[in-house]
Amino acid sequence: MLGQALLTIALVALFHSAFSTYEYVSHMKALGRPEGPLPASIVFESLIALFLGIIGACLKAPPLKEITWASEMKTRTTDDMDARMGFANFVTRGEVLGKEEPSMASS
């Protein structure tokens, strides 16, 4: 609940800072001075929105799952883990693939 509230507040603050930036840049262009840094209040509001968004996302995230071998083996059986052939075949087809086919043209 707290995570969702923080994310909502962060989203509103981020949209407000974006709108404030748009208004500020439009006002400066109307005055003929489009260059220059943003006011500190807009930058501060954006950073607060970022911080609240990170905290809200961390609080809203589900708990982490175990990734150890023991936790994986709790969900599997021995048959699942040992379901492979009991031998390996090392016979190759090298002698068949390396030969050229006899030609059909006989003179």
Side-chain angles (χ1 to χ4, degrees):
M1 178 71 183
L2 179 62
Q4 182 67 35
L6 287 176
L7 280 173
T8 304
I9 292 169
L11 185 65
V12 170
L14 189 63
F15 281 147
H16 183 265
S17 65
F19 183 72
S20 297
T21 302
Y22 174 76
E23 280 186 329
Y24 176 76
V25 170
S26 296
H27 180 69
M28 293 307 282
K29 282 183 181 179
L31 294 176
R33 300 179 286 160
E35 293 86 20
L38 289 174
S41 62
I42 295 176
V43 174
F44 183 69
E45 184 179 4
S46 299
L47 291 175
I48 292 295
L50 175 68
F51 179 73
L52 288 176
I54 290 172
I55 298 298
C58 289
L59 291 175
K60 188 167 171 51
L64 299 176
K65 296 179 182 177
E66 286 189 52
I67 56 171
T68 61
W69 182 256
S71 66
E72 182 67 26
M73 289 306 294
K74 289 177 187 174
T75 62
R76 297 181 186 262
T77 64
T78 305
D79 294 332
D80 289 340
M81 296 307 294
D82 198 22
R84 64 179 189 268
M85 296 184 348
F87 61 91
N89 188 0
F90 294 105
V91 177
T92 63
R93 296 182 181 175
E95 56 190 47
V96 176
L97 294 175
K99 291 183 180 178
E100 294 183 18
E101 293 185 24
S103 63
M104 294 299 219
S106 60
S107 37

